[in-house]
Amino acid sequence: MHTEKDAENIKTENVEAKTKATLTNIEYEILFKEKSQFDLLNFCADVAKNMGLADEEIPSVVKALTNENRPSVIYLHNAECTGCSEALLRSSSPYIDQIIFDAISLDYHETLMAASGDGAESLLEKAVNNPNGFICLVEGSIPVDFHGTIGGHTMYENCARILPKANIVIAVGTCSAYGGIQTARPNPTGSKGISECFSNLKAPVINLAGCPPNPLNLMGVIVALLQNKDIELDTKGRPKMFYGKTVHMLCERLPHFKAKRFALSFDSEEARLGYCLHKLGCKGPKTFNNCPSALFNSVNWPVKAGHPCVGCSEPDFWDTFTPFYGKN
């Protein structure tokens, strides 16, 4: 009888064989040089699956993420809790160091970088002036009435100077995409999402909504960009490959909803049996995201853990979806 570990090893061997047949010897050695420590191949398989790609396309994902010419990435922070960065830090397939050292060149990130002060500012300027351009990731909404400052410049000034120079702009999280909790009434700082604040950027803005978004979705977008693929966006600027279906449609509790089996309280027997959380306030039917299929660290997501979806990947969810608990 095969154990779960045996099945995982068989999966790895099958994918490895397919991949080896399409890579050069150098690419293959780069990929597997630290296989005992990291499992980049399985990560690429997870990214491909999350993007809706067939197994035959996994080698192209591997090539994109092991290219020696890694894209320069600038990661800006504005008004936020740093939860999106925390989700990325907690990624275990692969770990954060493999992402920033092997897949991309993370040249500026205020939370992760060792440099500070003038040293950090000089690194930012060097990255902005990269002759090959850069991808700009932005976390947090942009306050325009009551300014937060970084390096002596307001968050608005930093974005106004840097975003127009980017090859592509990715809004990481609902705060940067739509404003998030900072824009909830009464919005004392006048915070806005990127597209609302800067409507004339030459680079398209890709909204990876969520509080936080799944790191797999971020890596999927980066892979698609490295492959020069067109990324189809919905009307709210989100990639359809990750936000094309509602949480409700993908939820493992959907059969309970269809059978009208609902949990009426969190401490009920029905809740313990995994019944639908719709009557406890779940916003899954109104929320577009792939949380049930992508999972966080391939392990869990809120509804599976017993908490209703709060609709965090939708604009203005703090105002339109509250109170989060109670009947819909």
Side-chain angles (χ1 to χ4, degrees):
M1 179 181 294
H2 288 301
T3 65
E4 184 175 338
K5 184 66 176 178
D6 291 333
E8 188 66 24
N9 288 337
I10 292 171
K11 170 192 170 185
T12 301
E13 290 168 3
N14 290 340
V15 174
E16 182 176 337
K18 289 181 180 179
T19 304
K20 185 174 182 180
T22 61
L23 299 180
T24 66
N25 289 334
I26 294 177
E27 290 169 335
Y28 185 79
E29 289 301 319
I30 291 174
L31 176 61
F32 292 104
K33 65 181 179 181
E34 294 180 339
K35 185 177 178 183
S36 60
Q37 185 177 6
F38 299 114
D39 198 352
L40 178 60
L41 184 56
N42 276 343
F43 169 65
C44 291
D46 288 341
V47 170
K49 178 182 177 182
N50 197 44
M51 295 172 68
L53 304 178
D55 285 351
E56 290 72 19
E57 297 182 79
I58 293 174
S60 66
V61 176
V62 173
K63 285 188 175 183
L65 290 178
T66 56
N67 193 317
E68 292 183 1
N69 297 317
R70 295 175 296 147
S72 174
V73 174
I74 294 175
Y75 197 122
L76 300 179
H77 286 268
N78 295 310
E80 35 79 19
C81 68
T82 318
C84 300
S85 288
E86 291 289 347
L88 187 60
L89 280 169
R90 282 159 175 73
S91 175
S92 60
S93 177
Y95 293 103
I96 180 64
D97 52 351
Q98 191 176 21
I99 294 175
I100 64 177
F101 293 133
D102 292 347
I104 64 174
S105 178
L106 186 59
D107 295 326
Y108 182 85
H109 188 300
E110 291 140 13
T111 306
L112 301 182
M113 64 195 307
S116 62
D118 292 339
E121 288 294 292
S122 64
L123 289 175
L124 176 59
E125 292 308 309
K126 181 179 178 181
V128 169
N129 293 299
N130 187 321
N132 296 320
F134 61 92
I135 298 172
C136 190
L137 275 56
V138 183
E139 181 175 345
S141 60
I142 303 170
V144 296
D145 292 340
F146 185 83
H147 298 297
T149 60
I150 298 173
H153 308 287
T154 69
M155 296 172 180
Y156 177 87
E157 289 170 345
N158 283 333
C159 289
R161 181 175 70 89
I162 295 171
L163 298 190
K165 300 178 181 179
N167 293 343
I168 197 85
V169 176
I170 302 176
V172 183
T174 297
C175 290
S176 57
Y178 312 124
I181 190 172
Q182 287 72 238
T183 61
R185 292 187 294 266
N187 191 5
T189 61
S191 290
K192 298 179 180 180
I194 294 174
S195 295
E196 183 182 4
C197 200
F198 301 105
S199 58
N200 296 319
L201 293 176
K202 66 175 183 180
V205 177
I206 299 174
N207 291 328
L208 285 181
C211 191
N214 195 308
L216 273 179
N217 294 346
L218 173 59
M219 294 308 300
V221 166
I222 291 176
V223 166
L225 293 174
L226 294 177
Q227 295 176 322
N228 294 315
K229 288 186 176 180
D230 290 330
I231 300 175
E232 187 179 3
L233 305 179
D234 66 12
T235 57
K236 297 173 183 175
R238 302 172 297 198
K240 285 188 175 181
M241 58 182 166
F242 308 131
Y243 301 89
K245 295 181 180 179
T246 64
V247 168
H248 179 70
M249 293 169 64
L250 299 172
C251 183
E252 65 264 31
R253 301 191 187 210
L254 183 59
H256 291 301
F257 176 87
K258 292 180 177 179
K260 302 187 185 303
R261 294 190 293 264
F262 300 102
L264 300 180
S265 68
F266 289 107
D267 59 353
S268 66
E269 181 63 21
E270 290 79 8
R272 284 188 284 272
L273 290 171
Y275 283 11
C276 179
L277 301 175
H278 182 68
K279 293 191 176 181
L280 290 176
C282 186
K283 305 302 187 293
K286 303 174 183 178
T287 305
F288 287 82
N289 209 334
N290 65 348
C291 301
S293 57
L295 303 178
F296 283 84
N297 284 335
S298 303
V299 174
N300 214 338
W301 71 289
V303 171
K304 184 179 178 182
H307 191 283
C309 169
V310 298
C312 70
S313 55
E314 297 300 315
D316 303 317
F317 79 100
W318 284 98
D319 289 330
T320 58
F321 284 170
T322 49
F324 291 136
Y325 304 107
K327 294 182 179 180
N328 282 300

